[in-house]
Amino acid sequence: MKEPRNDKKIYVPALGFHRLTPLYDWIAGCAGYGFRFWYTLMMQAQLEDEQRVLDLGSGTGSLAILIKQCFPGIEISALDCDPKILSLASRKAERAQAGIHFVRAFAERLPYPDNYFDRILSSLLFHHLTGDSKRKTAIEMLRVLKPGGEMYVMDWGRAANPVMRCLFFTVQLVDGFDNTCDNAAGRLPVFFEQAGFCKVGQLQAFNTIFGTLAFYRAVKA
Ligand SMILES: C[S@@+](CC[C@H](N)C(=O)[O-])C[C@H]1O[C@@H](n2cnc3c(N)ncnc32)[C@H](O)[C@@H]1O
């Protein structure tokens, strides 16, 4: 695994607290987050063998493993800044015999050359980032995508109704209000447009026990 240059940077771990990280898959599964949403994201991306794909903020690697199992010919990198979750992910990928390049780095400074990936997929990363980090990450995603490349992001979006807005309060308590306020306001597409993406749009939304999950797509011209 590659080491990030700035190790001191603070980040919000998968469930808000480092000691909960080993329980991530179990808690996410009990809460109903899992295969259904990763599969939806993967299908939206219209992947094909031979493509180069990045799973950004890969956590325990579930999405990357699913992609590799469905498209063995894809070259997939899974990036996360948390060494603890990456070691869980690489053990899981080994058990699944899925060949994945795990990279430890920050989303705001991606260790890849320009125009490198055909697709970037990201699930539940953006609500861990401050407004400034969201902006930098969107710019980096645009940089490392090939022209015509596409990104697919699943994250918390504007609540579909007042009940969803109240439920999302739980996520805000755990992951922080600074990181999540832009999600609550439905502003992720604005970050993508400001970074220079075109054809930015919301493809789908699901109401869940923690709020409304939105699926976004954007294209590098
Ligand atoms: C809620 S988890 C989502 C994990 C996985 N994508 C999933 O859907 O289960 C968010 C992940 O983002 C990672 N993360 C948080 N800030 C990050 C940053 N600045 N750069 C890279 N990864 C980050 C965390 O370590 C965590 O693994």
Side-chain angles (χ1 to χ4, degrees), residues 45-74:
Q46 299 181 27
L47 301 174
E48 290 170 17
D49 279 329
E50 315 305 328
Q51 284 178 330
R52 198 177 276 154
V53 175
L54 174 64
D55 175 7
L56 188 59
S58 56
T60 57
S62 303
L63 173 64
I65 293 169
L66 177 65
I67 291 172
K68 193 66 188 173
Q69 287 172 334
C70 295
F71 300 93
I74 273 180

Side-chain angles (χ1 to χ4, degrees), residues 12 14 24 38 57-59 80-82 106-108 123-125 128-129:
V12 180
Y24 181 80
W38 295 313
S58 56
D80 203 287
C81 64
D82 182 347
F106 286 99
E108 299 89 331
S123 151
L124 294 175
L125 164 70
H128 283 241
L129 308 177

Side-chain angles (χ1 to χ4, degrees), residues 9-16 21 24-25 28 33-34 38 55-63 79-83 85-86 105-110 122-129 133 137 154 156 175:
K9 188 174 182 305
I10 295 165
Y11 59 92
V12 180
L15 286 169
T21 298
Y24 181 80
D25 280 349
Y33 294 91
W38 295 313
D55 175 7
L56 188 59
S58 56
T60 57
S62 303
L63 173 64
L79 180 145
D80 203 287
C81 64
D82 182 347
I85 210 159
L86 277 175
F106 286 99
E108 299 89 331
R109 196 161 62 181
L110 296 176
S122 182
S123 151
L124 294 175
L125 164 70
F126 270 83
H127 74 283
H128 283 241
L129 308 177
S133 286
T137 297
M154 173 185 103
W156 304 108
D175 290 329

